[in-house]
């Protein structure tokens, strides 16, 4: 069974703990994306799984077997790197056949496998070309094809699309996801591109400072971020995260934000909150609705900047020292200097305690 598992995976480089007790479990047929800011330990985690980096502590299991002491080749993994290297003196067909020569296969079996994988990645037309005569997107597809031409235990991808331009990336994301869906292999993909993770992953592991902050489906990561870090990291434009003091609770909760009293419906959760305590209220820029006029408890903010984004407009507003982002349909005309009264609807709110952890509403 194709699976990847790590237990307390840890890597220290001298004083620096690059990966700190990471537990992962990737099922057969599942795509897990490791996502996080630069330097959070994604690549080091992947390299330890591959056997390209030793572990300081913890274990790696591939297909149910502990592989800490096995070489990369013995782990039987296919990898695709950001800087994929094709053999320049071999044609596309020969590049694809190369990993199969080490296996006990006849020439006709190898040919059949190459034709099959070339078909999956739309490379039929370029099988006889040399790599130097390929477009960048074709080279990338050859790299992916070469990884899947064998029948390895699992797949590891490290920023596989980062060298492609935006349009090619979008097309390749879909293609790779479709191909992986048909292979029943455990796959781990490292990326710092959240759109790549949200579109390709069955589950996303968000990392920070060597640790996993949350592992969940793209939907859950977006809809129920476990803490302030994940809430601010996932979603474009970034979620508004406003620190406010809870003033009073009588049915609706009243918060002091940016010098204003704003009333929020927190339902029964409000009973568990402490008056006078500071909480972080999160609301995505598409979740803030400008009201036609000031309503009791709405949040007043002044438009600093109007940024057209095509179908939508991004507004940068300010309330006291708090920056607020709002995304509106482009037909809603708003001018710089205007004051908007923002309503905070309960179903759009995220609430976090002082330690940054989510409080479910
Ligand atoms: P990026 O997206 O920028 O590649 P990453 O999340 O993949 O970042 P890693 O490359 O895993 O992060 O690096 C994690 C930390 O470990 C970083 O602070 C990095 O500088 C450090 N690091 C990585 N490799 C080594 C090494 N061989 N020696 C010392 N420090 C290292």
């Amino acid at each position: 069974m194709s699976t990847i598992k790590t237990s307390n995976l840890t890597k220290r480089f001298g004083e620096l703990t690059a990966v700190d007790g990471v537990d992962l479990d990737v099922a057969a047929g599942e795509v897990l994306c490791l996502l996080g800011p630069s330097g959070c330990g994604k690549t080091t985690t992947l390299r330890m799984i591959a056997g390209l980096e030793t572990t300081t502590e913890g274990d790696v299991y591939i297909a149910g077997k502990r592989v800490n002491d096995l070489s990369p080749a013995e782990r039987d993994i296919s990898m695709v790197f950001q800087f994929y290297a094709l053999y320049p003196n071999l044609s596309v067909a020969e590049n694809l056949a190369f990993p199969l020569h080490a296996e006990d296969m006849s020439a006709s079996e190898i040919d059949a496998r190459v034709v099959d994988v070339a078909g999956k990645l739309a490379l039929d037309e370029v099988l006889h070309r040399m790599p130097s005569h390929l477009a960048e997107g074709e080279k990338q597809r050859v790299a992916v094809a070469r990884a899947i031409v064998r029948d390895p235990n699992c797949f590891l991808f490290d920023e596989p699309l980062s060298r492609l331009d935006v349009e090619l990336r979008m097309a390749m994301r879909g293609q790779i996801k479709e191909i992986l869906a048909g292979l029943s292999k455990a796959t781990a993909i490292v990326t710092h591109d959240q759109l790549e993770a949200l579109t390709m992953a069955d589950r996303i592991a968000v990392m920070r400072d060597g640790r996993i902050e949350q592992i969940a489906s793209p939907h859950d990561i977006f809809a129920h971020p476990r803490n302030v870090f994940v809430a601010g990291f996932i979603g474009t434009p970034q979620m508004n995260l406003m620190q406010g003091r809870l003033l009073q609770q009588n049915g609706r909760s009243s918060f002091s934000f940016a010098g204003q009293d704003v009333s929020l419906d927190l339902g029964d959760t409000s009973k568990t909150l402490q008056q006078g305590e500071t909480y972080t209220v999160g609301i995505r820029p598409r979740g803030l609705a400008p009201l036609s006029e000031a309503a009791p408890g709405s949040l007043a903010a002044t438009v600093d900047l109007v940024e057209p984004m095509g179908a939508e407009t991004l507004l940068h507003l300010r309330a006291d020292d708090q920056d607020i982002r709002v995304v509106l349909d482009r037909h809603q005309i708003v001018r710089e200097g205007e004051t908007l009264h923002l309503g905070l609807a309960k179903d759009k709110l995220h609430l976090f305690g002082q330690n940054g952890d989510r409080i479910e509403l």
Side-chain angles (χ1 to χ4, degrees):
M1 192 70 142
S2 162
T3 53
I4 303 168
K5 181 175 155 70
T6 69
S7 163
N8 187 36
L9 195 61
T10 300
K11 181 70 188 183
R12 282 188 278 275
F13 294 109
E15 295 284 288
L16 175 83
T17 304
V19 177
D20 192 1
V22 163
D23 296 328
L24 295 173
D25 216 334
V26 193
E30 186 181 30
V31 176
L32 178 89
C33 277
L34 293 170
L35 176 69
S38 182
C40 71
K42 309 178 292 289
T43 297
T44 306
T45 301
L46 202 76
R47 287 174 57 83
M48 285 193 282
I49 295 170
L52 299 169
E53 192 74 75
T54 57
T55 61
T56 310
E57 274 173 45
D59 296 309
V60 179
Y61 300 86
I62 306 282
K65 183 170 148 193
R66 186 175 175 279
V67 295
N68 288 44
D69 305 319
L70 298 188
S71 69
E74 287 168 324
R75 296 182 190 201
D76 194 17
I77 285 168
S78 272
M79 284 196 75
V80 181
F81 295 97
Q82 174 181 2
F83 298 105
Y84 44 86
L86 305 178
Y87 300 110
N89 301 325
L90 300 183
S91 69
V92 169
E94 289 163 334
N95 263 282
L96 297 184
F98 197 84
L100 300 176
H101 290 314
E103 311 215 342
D104 189 18
M105 291 177 88
S106 69
S108 60
E109 276 176 302
I110 291 179
D111 282 349
R113 202 65 95 73
V114 167
V115 167
D116 177 53
V117 82
K120 283 192 175 119
L121 280 143
L123 292 167
D124 325 60
E125 303 290 312
V126 298
L127 273 177
H128 300 292
R129 278 207 213 147
M130 302 306 274
S132 58
H133 294 152
L134 296 177
E136 208 57 31
E138 289 167 336
K139 284 186 200 163
Q140 179 65 47
R141 292 211 298 278
V142 176
V144 174
R146 203 173 53 179
I148 68 170
V149 72
R150 287 193 311 119
D151 184 27
N153 274 325
C154 58
F155 296 118
L156 304 179
F157 290 73
D158 190 358
E159 303 271 6
L161 307 180
S162 55
R163 270 173 47 181
L164 304 182
D165 65 35
V166 178
E167 247 168 69
L168 262 178
R169 263 182 189 219
M170 251 163 47
M172 283 296 288
R173 283 203 292 259
Q175 284 174 13
I176 293 180
K177 188 177 164 82
E178 209 177 303
I179 287 162
L180 290 176
L183 295 178
S184 319
K185 300 285 177 193
T187 302
I189 301 179
V190 159
T191 180
H192 65 272
D193 178 344
Q194 53 171 288
L195 206 55
E196 206 160 293
L198 289 165
T199 52
M200 291 179 75
D202 295 306
R203 281 187 306 150
I204 297 174
V206 180
M207 289 186 73
R208 174 172 62 155
D209 295 342
R211 290 169 191 253
I212 304 257
E213 294 283 325
Q214 184 171 8
I215 302 187
S217 68
H219 171 271
D220 282 355
I221 292 259
F222 190 80
H224 305 281
R226 208 175 84 187
N227 55 34
V228 169
F229 174 77
V230 177
F233 189 72
I234 299 281
T236 320
Q238 200 187 18
M239 183 190 282
N240 295 295
L241 292 162
M242 303 184 284
Q243 288 215 330
R245 206 159 51 81
L246 183 62
L247 297 178
Q248 60 178 33
Q249 305 179 62
N250 39 10
R252 288 176 80 82
S253 301
S254 173
F255 274 85
S256 160
F257 292 125
Q260 301 176 44
D261 289 359
V262 176
S263 90
L264 302 177
D265 177 4
L266 300 179
D268 285 345
T269 305
S270 64
K271 292 182 192 143
T272 64
L273 306 181
Q274 298 288 325
Q275 198 162 321
E277 181 106 21
T278 300
Y279 293 90
T280 301
V281 171
I283 188 156
R284 295 202 186 275
R286 290 180 179 81
L288 274 169
L291 309 172
S292 51
E293 56 189 39
S298 59
L299 177 65
T302 308
V303 180
D304 264 355
L305 184 68
V306 176
E307 233 182 282
M309 302 195 299
E312 296 177 315
T313 305
L314 171 61
L315 308 178
H316 298 268
L317 296 98
R318 178 168 290 276
D320 198 15
D321 59 353
Q322 175 83 52
D323 290 321
I324 301 169
R325 294 166 294 279
V326 175
V327 172
L328 298 180
D329 183 276
R330 74 186 166 92
H331 297 296
Q332 282 177 272
I333 306 296
V334 173
R335 296 185 204 295
E336 284 162 19
E338 211 173 303
T339 296
L340 299 186
H341 301 278
L342 303 168
L344 291 87
K346 175 170 183 264
D347 63 338
K348 302 283 195 288
L349 295 181
H350 302 259
L351 186 68
F352 304 95
Q354 247 176 350
N355 60 1
D357 285 350
R358 179 182 191 81
I359 299 170
E360 219 43 75
L361 289 176

